Amino acid sequence: MVSPRPHRVIVVGGGFGGLQAATHLTSAPVELTLVDRRNFHLFQPLTYQVATGALSPGEVCYPLRAIFRRHQNVRVVLGEVAGFDLDRRRLDVRPVVGEGVTRSLEYDTLIVAGGSHYSYFGHDEWRDAAPEVKSLESAVAVRARLLAAFEAAELDDDEARRRAWLTFVVVGAGPTGVEMAGQIAELARDTLRRDFRSIDPRHARVLLVEAADRVLTAFPPSLSRRAALQLEHLGVTPALERTVVGVDEQGVTVAAAGGEQERIEARTVIWAAGVTASELARRLAELTGAELDRAGRIAVEPDLTLPGHPEVLALGDMVRIRDARGEPQVLPGVAPVAMQQGRYAAALVRARLRDRPGRPFRYRDKGNVATIGRARAVADLHVLRLSGFPAWITWLVVHLFYLVGFQNRLLVLISWAFSFVTRGRGERLIAPEPAPAEARREARCAGRARSGS
């Protein structure tokens, strides 16, 4: 007698949502495949610390295969989505290594957690001049750019150019922008203050540009004011109600609410403003007729399924969820939302395997935290609002708790303790940027041609 085939589940994305869905299905009677373009889970809330030399890349990443090594029903596939065949329940996957031959994977349930990336509001030409820190590669590149700016200022005798090298602009005063600006200020005023001879890094100018009238708009106004005061104490200048209208390699042009424009000469600009959903949301919307909003998020049913396709779930930053009235609601684009949705998706699959109905997803908001610098933070826990050192301790505990892997937790705790005591940073390396994949392939082809292979 042939045993019934296990229920096949494919999870796309090894971020917070996808990882939670996969880990909560490891003990279920399913055949699970996790597809991701990277072979590691990235703890995105700490990538800005990689960008400022506080942590190493290995401390905020954990190999996906190591997470699932003890679960024989889990397969990890290193690839990117090439297409969806929803009618035949197939996912086309293109490997990111090897020969790149597209393969089709069959599923009974598909969970798509494609995430998001920063939006340049229709000005993608700004990307090279104003990199973001959402990915590991960009965080390492930003670290090199930050440190190189101090090195260039040390060697430049022209006072105007030196000021431009020592001017750092962060666009966007959400949690990432606030944390990034605070870290740059601490890097200049504490870590590097005795490292140079021709310049004084403490004279560096750090600007935080925000279109709204306050920083951290997701927090209560009282905590926004406290965060702004802590930033100013570090030496960060919040430039509120300013809209970026131009970015190039030499600086930034911002416009005030009244239309007046100001040119800021700065060689280092970091982008932390606005996000847009993964391209996968648009592809799924085209196939299902689901709505897309201006940020590219797809509207899903209350149980996170796609219209007409209950076997396909989408979650995380790429979705809006319909409420009881059928109106799409946008949840905060933070890790706790994606994690709760991932656990919900796993629970829904388990319920279906037992022929039990699932309940609509409901987000439980446990609060929000953001760090500004050493012993400086704000925390909105709803029943309690904290700032300063108590909020900073809360921030440390929360991030250590959610960090994947005991080794990473231990290493990050040691790094933070070292930085707190010495005000130093152990990852101040200007690493050369790797050659683009296309250039590497051309070099290999040229090498084979020269060797006659």
Side-chain angles (χ1 to χ4, degrees), residues 6 11 71 115-116 132 173 194 259 264 271 285 288 305 362 367 369 383 388:
V11 177
H71 303 283
S116 64
E132 39 81 20
R194 295 191 182 96
I264 303 171
W271 194 270
T288 62
T305 60
R362 177 175 296 178
V369 294
V383 296

Side-chain angles (χ1 to χ4, degrees), residues 258-270:
E260 305 88 358
Q261 294 190 2
E262 177 188 1
R263 175 69 179 178
I264 303 171
E265 298 296 327
R267 298 295 187 269
T268 307
V269 182
I270 311 299

Side-chain angles (χ1 to χ4, degrees), residues 173-403:
T176 300
V178 166
E179 291 165 348
M180 190 72 196
Q183 289 285 305
I184 295 174
E186 287 195 337
L187 177 69
R189 286 156 178 75
D190 293 335
T191 307
L192 302 178
R193 67 186 187 278
R194 295 191 182 96
D195 286 11
F196 295 89
R197 300 297 174 263
S198 299
I199 62 170
D200 185 348
R202 292 175 297 181
H203 294 161
R205 183 187 182 200
V206 183
L207 297 175
L208 181 60
V209 179
E210 170 58 46
D213 61 353
R214 60 188 177 97
V215 303
L216 298 176
T217 55
F219 285 71
S222 61
L223 289 182
S224 292
R225 288 192 294 271
R226 294 178 189 177
L229 289 174
Q230 294 179 60
L231 284 168
E232 291 171 0
H233 189 266
L234 276 175
V236 178
T237 302
L240 304 178
E241 298 184 274
R242 299 289 191 276
T243 303
V244 174
V245 295
V247 182
D248 56 46
E249 296 292 343
Q250 305 301 315
V252 178
T253 302
V254 298
E260 305 88 358
Q261 294 190 2
E262 177 188 1
R263 175 69 179 178
I264 303 171
E265 298 296 327
R267 298 295 187 269
T268 307
V269 182
I270 311 299
W271 194 270
V275 295
T276 186
S278 165
E279 174 67 15
L280 299 182
R282 183 190 61 79
R283 295 196 212 174
L284 290 172
E286 292 175 349
L287 293 172
T288 62
E291 298 176 22
L292 281 180
D293 67 3
R294 294 179 60 185
R297 293 177 291 240
I298 186 172
V300 297
E301 302 300 331
D303 60 355
L304 305 184
T305 60
L306 296 186
H309 288 274
E311 77 283 358
V312 182
L313 292 84
L315 50 89
D317 293 350
M318 61 180 283
V319 305
R320 295 180 299 158
I321 305 175
R322 296 188 183 279
D323 58 18
R325 297 172 299 176
E327 294 296 326
Q329 303 296 316
V330 177
L331 294 175
V334 294
V337 173
M339 295 172 73
Q340 290 185 30
Q341 290 177 348
R343 292 192 290 269
Y344 170 86
L348 183 63
V349 172
R350 287 176 174 271
R352 289 176 174 178
L353 293 175
R354 296 191 294 268
D355 293 324
R356 296 179 180 177
R359 298 178 179 178
F361 172 76
R362 177 175 296 178
Y363 173 55
R364 293 174 175 82
D365 188 357
K366 300 178 182 178
N368 209 351
V369 294
T371 182
I372 289 97
R374 182 177 182 269
R376 294 181 174 92
V378 290
D380 176 22
L381 307 180
H382 300 316
V383 296
L384 188 64
R385 294 175 181 175
L386 304 173
S387 65
F389 186 76
W392 185 69
I393 292 296
T394 303
W395 179 88
L396 290 179
V397 172
V398 168
H399 283 69
L400 286 173
F401 178 79
Y402 285 116
L403 196 62

Side-chain angles (χ1 to χ4, degrees), residues 150-168:
F150 290 99
E151 298 291 345
E154 172 78 358
L155 292 175
D156 204 322
D157 295 328
D158 184 85
E159 188 60 31
R161 289 198 302 265
R162 180 176 285 181
R163 283 197 303 270
W165 282 116
L166 293 178
T167 298
F168 302 89

